[in-house]
Amino acid sequence: QDSRRVQSLLNAFAHPAKLERLPAGALRDRLAILQGHVGAARWAQAATLLQHLAPEAGGDVAMKAGLYRLQHDPALPRLLRLEALQADAEVRRYQSLWERQGPPANSHAAAREGAAGRLRGNNVESMTKDSLQALAGCLNTVAAGQPYRVVTAMYVPAALAAHQEGGKTEWDAVLLRQVSDEPLWDICLLVEAKASPDSVSTDFPRLLRGLKVLSQADPARHYAFKAREGIFDLRGVSLQSLPTEADAVGRCVLYSSDAPAERHPRLLSAAARMQLLSSPECLGFAMALAEGWPADARSLEVLWEQLVGAPQWQALLGQYEVIRRARELMVHVDDLMATARACGE
């Protein structure tokens, strides 16, 4: 943000297009060099050059004002401070530890990783849709008609979603069955596509809340759900009958993923692991190990006692059960397609 601020202040009086209109000479050359320093984040060199540019601006009032604003804006000192810290050995060590957790936020690497993740997620959704369509085709053959169809990105209407808190309001892929000539539809199967198995345990509580939202439907009404394929009227009585308990949702919900099977699934989510490892007791124990001090595991007994009884740890204690139930709903997209094809045979 600070670098964009400095670049904007510089462009206000020394944009490359403006430099072309300046007379050839030392001032234009120095401003071009300043643009190069700022573009390459060479803040110390940019600050040094700025100190010598003001006398060279001559009678150009606008340029002098621009140079003054740039020199005295608080963004430049902050960037200078960051550049100085980059040379510190302890800072570099600290950054290397952060880099092990993944690319920094808002960096180009993070953007590339995010784009790759979205692409993989889109691929899983596409394969899930293809599998469900194959299953719908098989069911339609048995039913001697076209009562089954698949919709994607199905949004819960405002009439149901208005008062929910934190529940799922969009479903990735849904298998519907037509129940009348109007037409009206019932939900047969809801499938959520996930590129990462870890995200399933995080999503599961939202999924349960989303099912509770659907189950609050008025059985005497029908509700218009918008999907990529159009608008579909779903019967309230069908929505009301959806299971909402964690041990029963497997009747109508699946998670699909293209990730390979894990030999040793994690017993805690990433957020829960971070919460545990960030406790004062764990940090003190880790610091003792890192500094070569005597590290007594009994110092962690205080944390263990807190885990058993303190309210702030209750969600963490329930993590294993959440993960277990969520993983029971997982199916690989290849297996989902294989099942659909086997049904057709």
Side-chain angles (χ1 to χ4, degrees), residues 93-113:
R93 179 171 175 266
Y94 176 79
Q95 288 182 319
S96 70
L97 291 173
W98 268 112
E99 288 169 1
R100 286 161 56 181
Q101 307 302 317
N106 301 319
S107 66
H108 292 297
R112 288 195 299 270
E113 190 173 280

Side-chain angles (χ1 to χ4, degrees), residues 55-258:
E56 298 181 13
D60 192 329
V61 177
M63 185 170 295
K64 281 188 174 181
L67 287 166
Y68 181 86
R69 284 194 298 269
L70 183 53
Q71 274 187 293
H72 293 85
D73 192 272
L76 187 56
R78 286 195 294 264
L79 293 168
L80 287 168
R81 175 66 175 154
L82 284 174
E83 188 176 46
L85 287 172
Q86 292 287 346
D88 185 275
E90 286 301 309
V91 171
R92 290 200 302 271
R93 179 171 175 266
Y94 176 79
Q95 288 182 319
S96 70
L97 291 173
W98 268 112
E99 288 169 1
R100 286 161 56 181
Q101 307 302 317
N106 301 319
S107 66
H108 292 297
R112 288 195 299 270
E113 190 173 280
R118 287 190 295 274
L119 178 60
R120 186 179 168 198
N122 291 337
N123 289 338
V124 176
E125 289 185 16
S126 178
M127 289 186 286
T128 299
K129 176 185 176 182
D130 292 344
S131 301
L132 285 184
Q133 284 181 330
L135 179 60
C138 170
L139 293 172
N140 285 332
T141 300
V142 174
Q146 298 290 322
Y148 293 92
R149 69 161 301 161
V150 177
V151 300
T152 56
M154 188 181 79
Y155 287 89
V156 178
L160 288 172
H163 304 295
Q164 66 88 29
E165 294 184 5
K168 190 176 291 294
T169 57
E170 179 191 358
W171 298 89
D172 291 339
V174 186
L175 178 64
L176 299 176
R177 179 172 65 91
Q178 186 175 341
V179 293
S180 70
D181 296 331
E182 294 186 35
L184 293 175
W185 303 83
D186 287 349
I187 291 177
C188 296
L189 182 63
L190 297 156
V191 184
E192 287 296 290
K194 298 294 179 184
S196 168
D198 276 345
S199 64
V200 170
S201 56
T202 306
D203 183 79
F204 189 57
R206 289 185 61 248
L207 182 142
L208 291 177
R209 290 192 292 269
L211 287 171
K212 288 180 180 178
V213 169
L214 295 177
S215 70
Q216 292 170 5
D218 183 346
R221 292 181 54 187
H222 57 266
Y223 298 83
F225 283 71
K226 184 179 180 181
R228 286 197 185 101
E229 293 75 12
I231 296 177
F232 298 84
D233 289 333
L234 272 60
R235 294 194 305 160
V237 65
S238 166
L239 298 173
Q240 190 187 52
S241 66
L242 291 172
T244 58
E245 299 300 324
D247 57 353
V249 297
R251 301 205 316 262
C252 69
V253 175
L254 289 176
Y255 280 109
S256 65
S257 177
D258 66 345

